Amino acid sequence: MNSMAYFRIKGQQKLSGEISVTGAKNAALKFIAAALICDEPVTLTNMPNIEDVRRMLKLIATLGAEVTHDVDAHTVTIDPRPMSNFEITEDMAKSIRASIMLVGPLLVRFGKACIGYPGGCVIGRRPIDLYLKGYQRFGAEMKIMGDTFEFVSSNLHGMKFVFPIVSVVATETFLITASRAEGITILKNAAVEPEIIALAEFLNACGAKITGAGTPTITIEGVKALRGGTVAIIPDRIEAGTFVILGALTRSQIRVTNCIPEHLENILLHLEMIGASFEVGDTWIETKSYDHNLRALNIKTHEYPGFVTDLQAPFTVLLTQAVGSSLVHETIFEGRMFYTDLLNRMGAEIILCDPHRAIVEGPHELMGRKLESPDIRAGIAMVLAGLIAHGETIIGNIEQIDRGYEQIDTRLRALGADIIRVTDI
Ligand code: EPZ
């Protein structure tokens, strides 16, 4: 990745046209992990060409899986049978946090797994205590050597796990591991995100016995083998929501296609409440131009089907353009609001009351500035802000944005945005 690359944006362009949503990053990574507990090759279609997917595929290839990635066809075939390595180094673990999911499949295949601490990222500490507890509950012995966790298990058995807090990837991790653990596993207070339902449907199509996915109680009966199969990754609801917010922000007519509007119902409800105009189809959402003021609105993030935390930063850019005071309450992560300082540098008026709460006064015109992208979602929020700001915005550290949004500059240019990717010579 070119670390000196940056986006140069000239704001205030009217946008229009159509933008197609890619497969969901937060489904793709889990389907890659799930492929490793199958006993035949798995083909994943509608795979997004993003950095996090490339990192996860590189990781499983290092473990010995055979990976065939047809980038142009957005298709990946994974054959887990040649896997021979059960060690995930600290560097590999740090390159992609979802690597923590792979301990389950490694225990299923080898009865052994080693992993370096995946580390946090800027949105918070990102602890892994639930994973360590869960793997031990499945019957693995755990040894900690410095920052490396070593797991050994003669045979994985079913268990009951009551989540003290809702955890999306931990729910998916235990769903996958339980599918090959002997006996019954019951997960309580499980996450209910759409990606979890899609994952359970895929595993059941391969012969797993999962019931209750999409509800807080999931029951899994382990099976001795799983077939392979082919499955399309569901559309990325976060990307879809980002583009709908972009349409509202630029007061443009943008048709967001190949999405599942039902998966972003709560965002659409908040867009309606703030006064944005849009129409909803079966697989598309079209924002409309409008000239009335946006109304201030309080938002509070919550696990699905609540207001999704991954769209908190993009939506806050919209709140800087609304008339009045809005309270933004980020309930899930403790480090996901520091980007508000960047918006203030652009001319917004945001008071960060504590790591979880900010008050946004609006409306304020934004001025182009030189910024760094803190993380995936705050990074795309800076792009949105740059697209409505007066003058030129430079955004560095764009590999963060490339982790979650495929060719985002090319796709936004197709809507009429004046954004170019500059790589150092
Ligand atoms: C998933 O992360 C998503 N990532 C995140 O999207 C998303 O923001 C998050 O769910 C919440 O919806 C993927 O799916 C790859 P959590 P996850 O476990 O599962 C605490 C993006 O931008 N926790 O649901 O890692 C944790 O600190 C990313 O695409 C523990 O305490 O998040 C947080 O406060 C960012 N111990 C809370 O749970 C643990 O062992 C919920 O986090 C694990 C988590």
Side-chain angles (χ1 to χ4, degrees), residues 152-165:
V152 177
S153 90
S154 46
N155 77 312
L156 293 174
H157 54 70
M159 54 97 169
K160 180 176 179 183
F161 197 91
V162 182
F163 281 90
I165 49 166

Side-chain angles (χ1 to χ4, degrees), residues 25-27 29-30 52 96-98 101 121 123-132 165-172 191 193 195 237-238 302-304 308-310 331-334 336 375-377 403-404:
K25 167 177 90 77
N26 291 348
L29 298 177
K30 293 58 173 280
D52 272 11
I96 181 85
R97 174 176 159 80
M101 301 186 77
C121 62
I123 66 173
R125 286 177 310 120
R126 309 304 298 277
I128 56 168
D129 55 308
L130 297 177
Y131 300 88
L132 305 181
I165 49 166
V166 173
S167 168
V168 173
V169 175
T171 297
E172 292 159 330
E193 270 64 5
E195 293 78 19
R237 59 194 166 99
I238 308 303
H302 190 277
E303 293 81 6
Y304 193 86
V308 63
T309 172
D310 294 345
T331 64
I332 296 179
F333 291 109
E334 71 278 8
R336 201 166 212 183
D375 62 70
I376 304 179
R377 307 303 176 185
R403 285 185 49 202

Side-chain angles (χ1 to χ4, degrees), residues 377-413:
R377 307 303 176 185
I380 201 71
M382 292 307 111
V383 171
L384 298 187
L387 290 171
I388 58 162
H390 294 270
E392 183 177 274
T393 299
I394 301 285
I395 299 176
N397 197 21
I398 56 175
E399 53 276 10
Q400 278 294 338
I401 302 173
D402 289 333
R403 285 185 49 202
Y405 294 89
E406 179 177 339
Q407 295 185 309
I408 190 65
D409 47 321
T410 310
R411 295 160 74 200
L412 291 177
R413 263 199 307 279

